[in-house]
Amino acid sequence: MWFMLGFGIYGALMWYYLFHGADSALPVDLKGSAADPAMFMTDRELELSTDFSRIKDFLYFISVPLEWMIYLFVLGFGLSKWFRKASSGLTRFSIVHTAVYVLLLSFASWVLTFPLRYYSFTVSKSYNISVQSFHSWMRDGLVDFWISWALTTLMVGVMYWLIKKYEKRWWLFAWLLSIPFTVFLYFIQPVVIDPLYNKFYPLQDEALKEKILNIAEKAEIPAENVYEVNMSEKTNALNAYVNGIGSNLRIVLWDTTLNKLSDNQVLFVMAHEIGHYVMNHLYWNLISSIVLSFLGLWLGNIIYRKWIVKYGKTWGIKGVGDLAALPALLLIFSLLSFVVSPVENAVSRKAERDADQYAIQMTKNPEAAVGAFQQLATVSLSEVNPPKIVKWFLYGHPTMLERIHFLDSYNTGKTLDKEQLPY
């Protein structure tokens, strides 16, 4: 109950900060520059970008503690005990108990968060960012639900088996098993998971494909094709990426990006994505994920044990190996993830800046680079200079203000001092 009261006060303060108290004024020395949104957005677009960004930011900062409150609700009101009892009475196979328990917990969370997710969907529709039908949106949500349920069931089943077998060192064995599992997910995502949501096909523009593959060849990327994904039936936003590892590496462009950007702008965007590959950011992401999972499991185990000792009886939990304690473990992992996210985002922003510099050195076309980000900001209604808290917790990329200013002031012919180089 105290948490619910605190949640209400927090929501009110966050609303005031985002809609009235946050300072996102443009620095005086950048007014009238290419980074000034007034130079490439209409007054109406400026108004819409501010409103849309504030609403989406507020929904994020509300959704995170809402997840925590749901876990506490499930524990505090005895639902977790009921889920355990309902699942254990079906069969003697523990994996079935786990699957049913996770299904009940996931469904409860899905139902309780549905109003917020639906509101977020309607906001994107009303601001013409999303053009997705409700049927298509629900389909994607259900695909998300079942994929998450299957993966969570597998991980939880293994984790609680380890807790029962190696009570003190379960987290270490769980981490060791997570390494090949994480690598496997990185490998199969482009060819197994991504196609569940959208249609992928070879890029239709042969001339543009050849130009992109020429850049990839210069960068020594083992890519034989460029893929286009049909996102225009869902969104007006723009995106492109290089993902996967080994033989499953894929260069992907959203069709919205192809429709909205010129060829030179697309080439800059793709050079940026290729820069991630050249500088091994995909592998560094994999390594950092493995390192963070080690720290998270180690620290999470310590907190988990203390919570079970302190609150176990109140929650009706029999011990650390009780499946009914899963919401507590998920709550701990969510809290740790939230706390570490500003650090992860800062590292990610550095990598994105490196990729921007690589792309400008590769294409030597600052005008196309600046134009690409101006168009991206306009189409996506992105706030060019968001509040600091929003940047810390939500921005894995530099802000549009930072990116456009950097590219606009970058002279491809100058020699940078070592201290000026981002990598």
Side-chain angles (χ1 to χ4, degrees):
M1 296 305 295
W2 279 109
F3 188 91
M4 291 176 67
L5 178 62
F7 178 76
I9 296 172
Y10 160 81
L13 291 174
M14 187 56 67
W15 179 86
Y16 176 80
Y17 170 77
L18 289 174
F19 288 92
H20 299 286
D23 179 19
S24 58
L26 199 71
V28 176
D29 59 329
L30 292 182
K31 289 186 176 180
S33 71
D36 184 349
M39 302 302 293
F40 56 89
M41 286 186 181
T42 65
D43 291 342
R44 180 57 176 163
E45 287 169 341
L46 284 170
E47 181 184 357
L48 290 174
S49 69
T50 299
D51 293 345
F52 177 70
S53 298
R54 291 291 192 268
I55 294 171
K56 297 293 284 187
D57 296 342
F58 179 71
L59 289 176
Y60 166 78
F61 284 108
I62 288 298
S63 66
V64 174
L66 176 62
E67 178 188 1
W68 304 340
M69 190 163 67
I70 289 171
Y71 291 141
L72 288 174
F73 176 86
V74 170
L75 288 166
F77 287 90
L79 284 177
S80 189
K81 292 188 298 181
W82 185 84
F83 292 161
R84 178 191 60 202
K85 183 178 179 181
S87 60
S88 61
L90 297 174
T91 177
R92 61 187 180 87
F93 297 107
S94 61
I95 188 60
V96 177
H97 301 166
T98 302
V100 174
Y101 178 92
V102 171
L103 179 62
L104 293 171
L105 179 62
S106 299
F107 182 72
S109 178
W110 189 87
V111 168
L112 292 172
T113 58
F114 181 83
L116 202 62
R117 286 183 286 108
Y118 178 71
Y119 178 66
S120 178
F121 165 70
T122 59
V123 166
S124 293
K125 289 273 286 186
S126 64
Y127 282 86
N128 202 33
I129 300 300
S130 172
V131 294
Q132 189 174 18
S133 67
F134 175 76
H135 175 269
S136 175
W137 176 74
M138 279 296 294
R139 177 192 174 280
D140 285 353
L142 290 173
V143 171
D144 267 340
F145 178 88
W146 290 111
I147 290 177
S148 176
W149 169 76
L151 293 176
T152 303
T153 297
L154 176 62
M155 290 186 288
V156 169
V158 171
M159 192 163 53
Y160 273 91
W161 178 80
L162 290 172
I163 290 174
K164 292 174 182 178
K165 191 170 181 65
Y166 310 101
E167 186 173 325
K168 292 184 178 180
R169 292 287 181 267
W170 69 269
W171 62 272
L172 179 59
F173 294 110
W175 174 72
L176 291 172
L177 288 174
S178 74
I179 295 174
F181 182 69
T182 302
V183 173
F184 177 69
L185 287 180
Y186 265 70
F187 185 77
I188 69 167
Q189 170 133 7
V191 295
V192 176
I193 297 177
D194 290 348
L196 294 174
Y197 297 90
N198 302 294
K199 298 175 183 177
F200 290 79
Y201 43 87
L203 181 61
Q204 303 297 303
D205 188 333
E206 292 294 334
L208 181 59
K209 180 195 294 186
E210 185 176 352
K211 293 176 183 178
I212 293 172
L213 289 177
N214 284 339
I215 295 177
E217 185 179 359
K218 290 179 183 178
E220 299 182 353
I221 289 185
E224 298 179 356
N225 211 335
V226 180
Y227 291 89
E228 183 178 343
V229 56
N230 182 18
M231 290 299 296
S232 56
E233 63 184 17
K234 295 182 180 181
T235 182
N236 285 319
L238 314 181
N239 198 13
Y241 57 88
V242 176
N243 74 339
I245 56 176
S247 60
N248 280 359
L249 180 84
R250 275 194 172 182
I251 300 174
V252 179
L253 278 160
W254 286 12
D255 62 343
T256 50
T257 303
L258 294 166
N259 296 335
K260 297 287 186 179
L261 300 186
S262 68
D263 281 4
N264 285 336
Q265 291 171 344
V266 170
L267 289 176
F268 171 81
V269 171
M270 293 315 301
H272 167 95
E273 298 302 332
I274 287 170
H276 284 307
Y277 178 87
V278 171
M279 290 179 279
N280 297 312
H281 291 162
L282 298 175
Y283 292 98
W284 280 114
N285 285 344
L286 177 59
I287 292 170
S288 64
S289 175
I290 291 170
V291 171
L292 286 175
S293 66
F294 174 86
L295 296 174
L297 284 166
W298 168 71
L299 185 56
N301 171 62
I302 294 173
I303 300 172
Y304 179 59
R305 289 179 175 279
K306 290 183 178 180
W307 279 17
I308 298 305
V309 170
K310 189 172 183 178
Y311 303 110
K313 290 184 179 179
T314 304
W315 291 337
I317 293 171
K318 301 172 184 178
V320 293
D322 188 349
L323 189 59
L326 177 61
L329 198 56
L330 294 176
L331 172 57
I332 292 167
F333 289 150
S334 180
L335 285 166
L336 292 175
S337 176
F338 181 75
V339 168
V340 80
S341 61
V343 177
E344 288 183 298
N345 286 336
V347 173
S348 176
R349 288 195 296 271
K350 171 65 167 58
E352 295 295 337
R353 171 60 64 85
D354 292 354
D356 281 347
Q357 176 152 332
Y358 176 90
I360 201 68
Q361 290 175 337
M362 173 70 78
T363 60
K364 302 188 185 302
N365 193 338
E367 292 78 13
V370 169
F373 283 124
Q374 288 177 337
Q375 182 73 347
L376 177 62
T378 302
V379 171
S380 303
L381 294 180
S382 300
E383 189 172 20
V384 171
N385 189 31
K388 286 185 178 179
I389 290 180
V390 174
K391 175 183 173 180
W392 294 340
F393 282 94
L394 286 175
Y395 275 62
H397 293 68
T399 65
M400 285 298 177
L401 178 73
E402 294 167 337
R403 301 184 88 167
I404 295 174
H405 175 59
F406 169 74
L407 294 167
D408 184 47
S409 60
Y410 188 85
N411 183 348
T412 56
K414 73 180 180 179
T415 302
L416 296 180
D417 296 331
K418 185 176 180 181
E419 291 77 13
Q420 292 177 286
L421 291 171
Y423 59 91

